[in-house]
Amino acid sequence: MSSTQPRRATPRWPIGAMIASWILGIVWIVLFYLDPTLPVLSGLGNWNLLAGFALLLLGGAFLLLFAVMAIVKARRQ
């Protein structure tokens, strides 16, 4: 007797986190270039570029996480 297990879809939350991280990173960098005297941005100075690019890299890490999860799921089937 074989029991059929419901198929689990690959979680989609890494895609949403990736898109949000990329958008936030680009907006952070653009705001720094447009008005570096904004309250939060003025305290960080040029470290704002590092913060923006770190958010972009975090989005890439979420993309990698999603790809690994999809590959592992495909191999288990």
Side-chain angles (χ1 to χ4, degrees):
M1 182 167 116
S2 67
S3 65
T4 58
Q5 295 178 349
R7 287 189 173 180
R8 290 184 176 172
T10 304
R12 302 286 184 208
W13 65 266
I15 297 297
M18 172 196 70
I19 292 170
S21 179
W22 282 348
I23 290 172
L24 188 60
I26 290 172
V27 167
W28 190 290
I29 292 171
V30 168
L31 282 177
F32 173 65
Y33 275 115
L34 291 178
D35 189 11
T37 62
L38 289 173
V40 174
L41 300 179
S42 64
L44 292 175
N46 284 334
W47 286 98
N48 285 299
L49 295 176
L50 179 66
F53 282 113
L55 286 167
L56 294 174
L57 288 174
L58 181 64
F62 282 125
L63 177 62
L64 181 63
L65 175 67
F66 177 75
V68 168
M69 288 176 11
I71 290 170
V72 167
K73 182 186 178 304
R75 288 194 173 196
R76 287 186 181 171
Q77 290 181 356

